[in-house]
Amino acid sequence: MEITIFAKKRKNKEGRDFYSFLTTLTNKKTGEQETMQVRFREACGNPDPKDCPCNIKVEKGDCNIAVRTYIREDTGEICEAKVLWITKWIKGSAYVDTSMDDYI
């Protein structure tokens, strides 16, 4: 399957910059799009954040989704965070931004 990877620049507690990777996958059962963090195993490396957004190809056997439940400190609400772990990937087709196609 081919997925689009976005990179977001963040700061840690010490003030150092780092990148986190995100994607959106469609759930077959509900048809809803779910945004999740993407983590790449050390052996396969991650895409260059400067090239993001980019498309990558991943076999379903080379990735899995981990779900973590947590409580939001500000509201006390119970939430889920999903992480897509990728073990092996290759570069996909060129990313084409279609976000403005529905606007004049």
Side-chain angles (χ1 to χ4, degrees):
M1 67 182 183
E2 188 168 57
I3 60 175
T4 302
I5 302 293
F6 297 89
K8 185 172 184 179
K9 192 175 190 178
R10 300 177 184 247
K11 288 192 181 287
N12 66 10
K13 293 177 183 177
E14 292 82 36
R16 289 177 154 168
D17 291 335
F18 71 97
Y19 287 92
S20 62
F21 297 95
L22 304 164
T23 193
T24 304
L25 298 179
T26 303
N27 186 318
K28 282 185 184 179
K29 294 178 184 175
T30 64
E32 292 180 18
Q33 289 196 333
E34 299 177 7
T35 301
M36 58 189 72
Q37 185 176 14
V38 180
R39 293 208 178 157
F40 296 88
R41 303 281 182 193
E42 194 172 321
C44 71
N46 54 328
D48 186 345
K50 294 174 189 149
D51 294 338
C52 290
C54 66
N55 292 321
I56 64 169
K57 290 183 181 180
V58 180
E59 296 294 326
K60 289 188 179 183
D62 294 328
C63 59
N64 69 301
I65 296 174
V67 181
R68 176 179 60 92
T69 304
Y70 66 96
I71 299 173
R72 286 184 57 162
E73 292 179 13
D74 55 346
T75 63
E77 178 184 7
I78 298 174
C79 300
E80 282 186 346
K82 295 184 179 182
V83 178
L84 175 66
W85 285 93
I86 296 179
T87 306
K88 184 178 176 185
W89 64 276
I90 59 171
K91 199 172 217 177
S93 62
Y95 173 76
V96 178
D97 187 355
T98 59
S99 63
M100 297 302 293
D101 289 355
D102 294 335
Y103 298 93
I104 296 178

